[in-house]
Amino acid sequence: MLKLWSIRSIVAQTGAIAILCISGASTAAEVSTGTAPSSSSGDMAHMSGHMFMTQLRPRNAGDKEKADAVVLAAREAMAPYQDYRKALADGFRIFLPGVPQPQYHFTNYRYGREATEHFDPLKPTSLLYKKTSDGGYKLVGVMYTDRVDAKEEELNERIPLSVARWHQHVNFCVAPWGQRAAYFGPNAKFGLQGSISTREACEEAGGTFLPHVLGWMVHVYPYEADEKKVWSTGDDEQGHDNMDHTAMPGMKMDPGMKMD
């Protein structure tokens, strides 16, 4: 298990540990030494070296109605925040504001902590905004979260897995000091864009391996008419994004978070 000073040094360089707290980690050290989900079980689809997604299940009676209720709740939760400044005033904080992104996560860390215990679709962990040409933000969706170790049955209780595909970001190699540039570009080695996706390769490169960077997440775009776009899981012509295209080296530590 990592020493606390080691965790803090990683945070100082990348901030990558901080977001674990809103995703259900009991401590950052505990999750950093855990095991990533295995695609060999048949329960998950290994979409890339850095992301796992639940597979779609056969649809059962009541699944669509349950998912539709979440969509309606998401719309209600979004209604007060068409103006992004209202979200900021109410405690949502922009995740990586200085990094260009297809969409920006305005995260409420209190809601994220509450989501580790129970699901309230009226309290999404993040509001999803797209940058506008005038420098503002347009609200397009929400993100719900669950603990990093939540079982699929729990996810299915929150939003049926026959409709939504939850995802986790995994196999994050924190770059050694002085190699921050290796998070970016076509030849990136570290982070969620990096070629390194195993503990062995990470340690050989002098990095620190994190099996999980975030807990379970699912995006909802309730203004879309097409169900597939409502539950979009990746980049598409609408600009939907699942954060798998950011290296996340510049995360900021939330003042309210505790590392132990």
Side-chain angles (χ1 to χ4, degrees), residues 19 21-24 77 87 91-95 104-128 141-147 158 166 214-219 243 257:
I19 202 67
C21 300
I22 70 165
S23 309
F92 288 86
R93 300 179 59 184
I94 306 175
F95 184 72
Y104 293 76
H105 292 62
F106 283 52
T107 297
N108 186 307
Y109 290 89
R110 178 168 63 86
Y111 288 175
R113 287 190 289 268
E114 291 176 359
T116 68
E117 300 297 332
H118 68 278
F119 179 54
D120 184 348
L122 293 174
K123 294 182 177 181
T125 295
S126 298
L127 301 170
L128 307 178
V142 300
M143 182 178 78
Y144 298 109
T145 59
D146 201 350
R147 303 182 316 281
R158 295 187 175 207
W166 293 71
L214 301 162
W216 286 108
M217 298 172 285
V218 64
H219 287 186
M243 285 184 17
M257 298 301 172

Side-chain angles (χ1 to χ4, degrees), residues 7 21 27 38 42 54 68 103 115 192 197 225:
I7 295 171
C21 300
T27 67
S38 172
T54 58
D68 287 348
Q103 66 183 15
L192 294 184
S197 61

Side-chain angles (χ1 to χ4, degrees), residues 7-43:
I7 295 171
R8 284 177 174 154
S9 68
I10 295 170
V11 171
Q13 182 190 14
T14 71
I17 300 292
I19 202 67
L20 291 169
C21 300
I22 70 165
S23 309
S26 57
T27 67
E30 177 182 342
V31 174
S32 70
T33 56
T35 302
S38 172
S39 59
S40 62
S41 67
D43 294 330

Side-chain angles (χ1 to χ4, degrees), residues 96-171:
L96 299 180
V99 177
Q101 303 170 63
Q103 66 183 15
Y104 293 76
H105 292 62
F106 283 52
T107 297
N108 186 307
Y109 290 89
R110 178 168 63 86
Y111 288 175
R113 287 190 289 268
E114 291 176 359
T116 68
E117 300 297 332
H118 68 278
F119 179 54
D120 184 348
L122 293 174
K123 294 182 177 181
T125 295
S126 298
L127 301 170
L128 307 178
Y129 289 86
K130 293 176 63 176
K131 202 74 173 284
T132 57
S133 59
D134 62 359
Y137 296 88
K138 177 183 177 181
L139 183 60
V140 296
V142 300
M143 182 178 78
Y144 298 109
T145 59
D146 201 350
R147 303 182 316 281
V148 71
D149 60 351
K151 304 302 182 184
E152 283 200 7
E153 287 310 313
E154 180 174 319
L155 303 178
N156 187 59
E157 279 297 312
R158 295 187 175 207
I159 304 174
L161 297 182
S162 63
V163 178
R165 301 185 71 183
W166 293 71
H167 64 275
Q168 283 192 16
H169 296 288
V170 297
N171 300 332

